[in-house]
Amino acid sequence: MNKYLHPLLGLLLSCTIGGALADTPASPATPAPSAGVAFSLIKTGHTHAQAGMVYSGGSFFQKLEINHVAVLVQHPRGSFLFDSGLGKDIAAQYRQDMPWWAKPSFYYEPPVNPARTQLDQAGIAVPRIILSHSHWDHASGLVDFPEAEVWITAEERNWDRRHPGFPGSFPSQVGPPSIQWHTYALEDKPYFGFPRSLDLFGDGSAVLLPLPGHTPGAVGLLLTLASGKQYLFCGDTVWSAEALKDSSPKSFLASLIADNDREGTQHAIELLHKLMLQHPGLVVMPAHDAALQDTLGYFPQWVR
């Protein structure tokens, strides 16, 4: 993209707000999940934006709360975080790596309550963090967990190396040598309508699924609880669940800046919409949808 285009789009955006997936056969039956599977949403910060910028067709007179969360997943064989939220060093990271033209549109509102702080207070250790993707508001807290293994798809890690800086990853967040990177690949096992998957525990309770588009190596996480209730955490494929009702993309300007592959992102949105129709009980959870997340509550409250 032309180096002058992003700043121009950012200025326009600030005036209004404060790879493709293949068609696959039907999913096999979901295995019985482990009895102890649960998750908790760790709210690390928030901001606000007009609905008209969050998704196409939204009202410019409606202001939405935008959350920054990490998802704590509890399983009998180990706990992990899905994304890290805003971390202890977010102020310095933001100052160093967010370009001036993007700051009026892409920002966070203090105070910040990092996941590490909340987990330490509860006496909970996390040995693994899995990134949905490596954008600044998902990777900020990685440096707070030097003892944790950080899982990222090989596609995403390679893309980070080739495209450092906004709208990609922040070097201050993914560059420190203290981070224990673990690159992985999804397996060629169709699951739940997706062409590839990775069953983390082998029991169908926590399955990673490909959602390329917003970034090349983005993944979603499908959790199946003991009750049979299913939650699909879709990262930034959409910013609001409202967008999934009629497969709406982000606003044109927001998508042009934030989505690496707009066609791929739209394909992912349409797949999520189709899955919601096929599985009426499925809850698709965007990473930033405060209205939906509010209905579940936040750490230390658990969803079981």
Short mmCIF file of all heavy atoms in Angstrom, two decimals, residues 28-37 75 191 199 201-206 224-228 230:
data_model
loop_
_atom_site.label_atom_id
_atom_site.label_comp_id
_atom_site.label_asym_id
_atom_site.label_seq_id
_atom_site.Cartn_x
_atom_site.Cartn_y
_atom_site.Cartn_z
N PRO A 28 -17.58 -32.98 11.54
CA PRO A 28 -17.91 -34.24 12.20
C PRO A 28 -18.52 -33.98 13.56
O PRO A 28 -18.49 -32.86 14.07
CB PRO A 28 -16.52 -34.90 12.35
CG PRO A 28 -15.56 -33.76 12.36
CD PRO A 28 -16.16 -32.73 11.44
N ALA A 29 -19.07 -35.00 14.16
CA ALA A 29 -19.66 -34.84 15.48
C ALA A 29 -18.62 -34.37 16.47
O ALA A 29 -17.47 -34.79 16.43
CB ALA A 29 -20.25 -36.19 15.93
N THR A 30 -19.01 -33.47 17.36
CA THR A 30 -18.08 -32.93 18.34
C THR A 30 -17.84 -33.95 19.45
O THR A 30 -18.80 -34.46 20.03
CB THR A 30 -18.66 -31.64 18.95
OG1 THR A 30 -18.91 -30.71 17.90
CG2 THR A 30 -17.68 -31.02 19.93
N PRO A 31 -16.57 -34.26 19.76
CA PRO A 31 -16.30 -35.21 20.85
C PRO A 31 -16.79 -34.66 22.18
O PRO A 31 -16.94 -33.45 22.35
CB PRO A 31 -14.76 -35.32 20.83
CG PRO A 31 -14.34 -34.79 19.50
CD PRO A 31 -15.37 -33.79 19.10
N ALA A 32 -17.02 -35.56 23.13
CA ALA A 32 -17.44 -35.12 24.47
C ALA A 32 -16.30 -34.36 25.13
O ALA A 32 -15.18 -34.83 25.18
CB ALA A 32 -17.81 -36.34 25.31
N PRO A 33 -16.57 -33.13 25.61
CA PRO A 33 -15.51 -32.32 26.21
C PRO A 33 -15.17 -32.78 27.62
O PRO A 33 -15.92 -33.51 28.26
CB PRO A 33 -16.13 -30.92 26.23
CG PRO A 33 -17.60 -31.18 26.36
CD PRO A 33 -17.86 -32.45 25.59
N SER A 34 -14.00 -32.33 28.09
CA SER A 34 -13.61 -32.61 29.46
C SER A 34 -14.52 -31.85 30.42
O SER A 34 -14.95 -30.74 30.14
CB SER A 34 -12.16 -32.20 29.68
OG SER A 34 -11.30 -32.94 28.84
N ALA A 35 -14.77 -32.46 31.58
CA ALA A 35 -15.74 -31.90 32.50
C ALA A 35 -15.31 -30.58 33.11
O ALA A 35 -16.14 -29.78 33.52
CB ALA A 35 -16.01 -32.91 33.62
N GLY A 36 -14.00 -30.33 33.17
CA GLY A 36 -13.53 -29.14 33.86
C GLY A 36 -13.26 -27.94 33.00
O GLY A 36 -12.64 -26.98 33.47
N VAL A 37 -13.68 -27.95 31.74
CA VAL A 37 -13.39 -26.83 30.84
C VAL A 37 -14.22 -25.61 31.20
O VAL A 37 -15.43 -25.70 31.37
CB VAL A 37 -13.63 -27.23 29.37
CG1 VAL A 37 -13.37 -26.05 28.45
CG2 VAL A 37 -12.75 -28.40 28.98
N HIS A 75 -8.49 -25.93 31.83
CA HIS A 75 -8.69 -27.30 31.38
C HIS A 75 -7.96 -28.21 32.36
O HIS A 75 -6.94 -27.82 32.94
CB HIS A 75 -8.12 -27.48 29.96
CG HIS A 75 -8.41 -28.80 29.33
ND1 HIS A 75 -7.68 -29.94 29.60
CD2 HIS A 75 -9.36 -29.17 28.42
CE1 HIS A 75 -8.16 -30.95 28.89
NE2 HIS A 75 -9.18 -30.52 28.17
N TYR A 191 -12.71 -29.38 10.34
CA TYR A 191 -13.45 -29.41 11.61
C TYR A 191 -14.41 -28.23 11.66
O TYR A 191 -14.02 -27.08 11.38
CB TYR A 191 -12.47 -29.33 12.79
CG TYR A 191 -13.10 -29.64 14.14
CD1 TYR A 191 -13.19 -30.94 14.59
CD2 TYR A 191 -13.60 -28.61 14.94
CE1 TYR A 191 -13.77 -31.25 15.83
CE2 TYR A 191 -14.19 -28.90 16.17
CZ TYR A 191 -14.26 -30.22 16.61
OH TYR A 191 -14.84 -30.50 17.82
N ASP A 199 -6.60 -29.56 17.53
CA ASP A 199 -7.27 -29.91 18.78
C ASP A 199 -6.21 -29.89 19.89
O ASP A 199 -5.35 -30.77 19.96
CB ASP A 199 -7.90 -31.30 18.65
CG ASP A 199 -8.80 -31.66 19.82
OD1 ASP A 199 -8.63 -31.07 20.91
OD2 ASP A 199 -9.66 -32.54 19.65
N PHE A 201 -6.17 -30.41 23.15
CA PHE A 201 -6.11 -31.45 24.18
C PHE A 201 -6.59 -32.81 23.69
O PHE A 201 -6.63 -33.77 24.46
CB PHE A 201 -6.92 -31.01 25.40
CG PHE A 201 -6.41 -29.75 26.04
CD1 PHE A 201 -7.10 -28.55 25.88
CD2 PHE A 201 -5.25 -29.75 26.79
CE1 PHE A 201 -6.63 -27.38 26.46
CE2 PHE A 201 -4.77 -28.59 27.37
CZ PHE A 201 -5.45 -27.40 27.21
N GLY A 202 -7.00 -32.90 22.43
CA GLY A 202 -7.42 -34.17 21.87
C GLY A 202 -8.81 -34.62 22.29
O GLY A 202 -9.19 -35.76 22.03
N ASP A 203 -9.58 -33.71 22.92
CA ASP A 203 -10.92 -34.10 23.37
C ASP A 203 -12.02 -33.21 22.79
O ASP A 203 -13.17 -33.32 23.18
CB ASP A 203 -10.99 -34.08 24.89
CG ASP A 203 -10.73 -32.69 25.49
OD1 ASP A 203 -10.54 -31.72 24.72
OD2 ASP A 203 -10.69 -32.57 26.73
N GLY A 204 -11.67 -32.35 21.86
CA GLY A 204 -12.67 -31.48 21.23
C GLY A 204 -13.09 -30.29 22.06
O GLY A 204 -13.96 -29.53 21.64
N SER A 205 -12.48 -30.08 23.21
CA SER A 205 -12.92 -28.99 24.08
C SER A 205 -12.31 -27.65 23.71
O SER A 205 -12.88 -26.60 24.00
CB SER A 205 -12.57 -29.31 25.54
OG SER A 205 -11.17 -29.44 25.71
N ALA A 206 -11.13 -27.66 23.09
CA ALA A 206 -10.44 -26.42 22.71
C ALA A 206 -9.74 -26.64 21.38
O ALA A 206 -8.72 -27.34 21.32
CB ALA A 206 -9.43 -26.02 23.79
N THR A 224 -15.75 -25.91 23.69
CA THR A 224 -16.96 -26.66 23.97
C THR A 224 -16.95 -27.01 25.45
O THR A 224 -16.08 -27.75 25.91
CB THR A 224 -17.05 -27.94 23.13
OG1 THR A 224 -16.98 -27.58 21.74
CG2 THR A 224 -18.35 -28.67 23.39
N LEU A 225 -17.89 -26.47 26.20
CA LEU A 225 -17.93 -26.68 27.64
C LEU A 225 -18.63 -27.99 27.98
O LEU A 225 -19.23 -28.63 27.11
CB LEU A 225 -18.64 -25.50 28.31
CG LEU A 225 -18.12 -24.11 27.95
CD1 LEU A 225 -18.81 -23.04 28.80
CD2 LEU A 225 -16.61 -24.01 28.11
N ALA A 226 -18.56 -28.40 29.24
CA ALA A 226 -19.17 -29.67 29.65
C ALA A 226 -20.67 -29.68 29.40
O ALA A 226 -21.27 -30.73 29.15
CB ALA A 226 -18.88 -29.91 31.13
N SER A 227 -21.29 -28.51 29.46
CA SER A 227 -22.73 -28.40 29.21
C SER A 227 -23.08 -28.60 27.74
O SER A 227 -24.25 -28.75 27.39
CB SER A 227 -23.21 -27.01 29.64
OG SER A 227 -22.59 -26.00 28.86
N GLY A 228 -22.06 -28.58 26.86
CA GLY A 228 -22.30 -28.65 25.43
C GLY A 228 -22.35 -27.28 24.78
O GLY A 228 -22.37 -27.18 23.55
N GLN A 230 -21.17 -23.91 23.18
CA GLN A 230 -19.97 -23.64 22.38
C GLN A 230 -19.77 -22.15 22.18
O GLN A 230 -20.72 -21.40 21.90
CB GLN A 230 -20.08 -24.34 21.02
CG GLN A 230 -20.02 -25.87 21.13
CD GLN A 230 -20.04 -26.53 19.78
OE1 GLN A 230 -20.98 -26.37 19.01
NE2 GLN A 230 -18.99 -27.31 19.49
#
